[in-house]
Amino acid sequence: MNDQALREPTLLILTAIADAPRHGYAIAQEAEKISEGRTKMRTGTLYGALERLLEQQLISVHEAQVVDGRMRRSYALAPHGREVLAAEADRIARTARKGARRPRLGATAAAGLLGISDRTVTA
């Protein structure tokens, strides 16, 4: 992986499986929940992204089984994916902190966006 920011669908997928393996439909539901309804992944987008993330070794197949004649796989965050997700979360937090220091936004408003005390931002 390079130093570029993750695209939102990738970030949401990795975040969705960071705490527990999930199958495709559950990943889509969790991604929608994480994004507070802003992102609804279509089936083609989701499974295309999952295949790409498997190729990049950011995720792995946790379990595969046949259910009602169809292959159902659950996906887990691979060690490299955990590193990439942690680095991206850190990058986002650093960027948000820098934005919080900008006079137009103000520390209190930015702190609310970050879910932290404004004293933490200004300290």
Side-chain angles (χ1 to χ4, degrees):
M1 200 82 200
N2 55 33
D3 291 336
Q4 291 185 344
L6 294 178
R7 295 188 328 232
E8 187 172 26
T10 300
L11 176 63
L12 291 170
I13 290 169
L14 296 180
T15 303
I17 61 174
D19 62 340
R22 288 184 167 81
H23 57 81
Y25 181 72
I27 292 170
Q29 286 184 314
E30 189 68 12
E32 185 174 346
K33 182 178 164 185
I34 292 165
S35 71
E36 298 177 343
R38 287 185 329 273
T39 302
K40 295 180 186 204
M41 290 193 187
R42 294 182 180 191
T43 304
T45 301
L46 174 65
Y47 286 99
L50 290 171
E51 288 303 316
R52 181 177 48 80
L53 296 172
L54 281 167
E55 289 172 11
Q56 293 173 341
Q57 299 180 347
L58 296 176
I59 65 172
S60 61
V61 174
H62 175 71
E63 185 177 60
Q65 58 182 299
V66 177
V67 177
D68 296 328
R70 296 175 54 193
M71 180 61 73
R72 182 176 179 169
R73 298 193 284 182
S74 62
Y75 302 89
L77 199 55
H80 180 58
R82 194 164 298 283
E83 292 170 7
V84 168
L85 180 58
E88 182 68 359
D90 185 54
R91 185 196 67 76
I92 291 168
R94 283 192 321 270
T95 301
R97 283 192 300 273
K98 289 175 185 174
R101 292 186 194 113
R102 302 290 171 144
R104 291 181 123 177
L105 182 57
T108 303
L113 292 172
L114 291 171
I116 57 176
S117 164
D118 62 343
R119 284 182 233 133
T120 305
V121 173
T122 58

